Amino acid sequence: MRAVVCQHAELDVVDRPEPEPARGQVRLSVLRCGICGSDLHARHGIDEWAEMAERGGYDRFGRSDQPVVFGHEFSGEVAEYGPGCRRKVPTGTPVVALPLIRGPQGVDTVGLSQHAPGAYAEQLLAQEALMLPVPNGLSPDVAALTEPMAVAYHAVRRGEVGKRQVAIVIGCGPVGLGVILMLKAQGVRTVVASDFSPGRRALATRCGADVVVDPAQDSPYAAGGDHGHLDDMPSALELAMGTTEKLRRVPGWWHLWRAAEKLGAAPKHPVVFECVGVPGVIESIVDSAPLFSRVVVVGVCVGEDRFKPAMAINKEIDLRFVIGYTPLEFRDTLHMLAEGEVDPRPLITGEVGLDGVAAAFTALGDPERHAKILIDPRSATVSV
């Protein structure tokens, strides 16, 4: 079979042996595969990721001197079952699968390890237990976006955004656009999107953002209007004193306060999604966001970063980091796509064959042109 191999930061189309499914595994014919931002970073920075993964106990992450086949956002068709499979999904059925596979040394990350080649190829192996049939005739293009949209869904769930709360999305690349789509699917009424790129701001509007701002011109924290957020410490101090002065006129005022807390009474605050993943963004958010903001860090900053904890403490910022999704969230995302509850097609800005992957990597460096480029291994397209 043909596959795109990355080694020493070079992307080459090569012939590789057809993968043979081991026990509990399924061989899939790849229909579509998305090029993820993590793939773009791994081309030149995979060693840094590998060192970080090794510190977390996983020592089989890819290295720059190893032949790695990227691709963890994919849809395919069942081609062959390995031994010990239940075989409940007929051969030829369109499917998606979580990008994890069990090998002789344990579970590996598909598309980011030489031990688990990904879907920049005509075929790949998947774990039968993690494979799901694609419902409702969902197109392979959209089905391939199950994985990145599941990342967005997980981030939104971890953000615990109420429908009447303001959600602020910092960065409108594919991750931020996915978060916008999922926020609107969850019924959040006010979604503010912020990006320096006019092209990405236009995509944010297409994905349903209610307010879109250029942070060079306007603050995303003020763009949603007056929602009662506390923007500075004097406002918080005044609220605390004013509330106490009013309640102290009532005998047993502490009971009223305690009851209000149980009912969820608290200062209003936005939920901010950091979807950029470069040094300095977290500090910028901590400095500028209203008091008591919940900040969900979705963007992956692999290098070192810094911010002033005292500022986050004084503003009582709730800082949450997220990664991936649960198998249930992956399944639910697939069905949201199939039911039309979420439409990620605005993210798709191009499609290439295997011979066009290197050109697609270059094209994705221009935010005005592209968000998500898909690979169709059967296509002869070499440019976007």
Side-chain angles (χ1 to χ4, degrees), residues 121 197 255 331 358:
S197 162
H255 296 301
R331 179 266 174 204

Side-chain angles (χ1 to χ4, degrees), residues 254-296:
W254 56 91
H255 296 301
L256 291 176
W257 195 308
R258 197 166 283 123
E261 284 187 344
K262 288 182 179 180
L263 292 172
K268 294 181 179 180
H269 62 84
V271 181
V272 183
F273 293 86
E274 192 280 281
C275 300
V276 181
V278 299
V281 177
I282 294 177
E283 182 175 36
S284 172
I285 292 172
V286 168
D287 283 348
S288 303
L291 278 67
F292 310 112
S293 293
R294 181 176 302 128
V295 179
V296 182

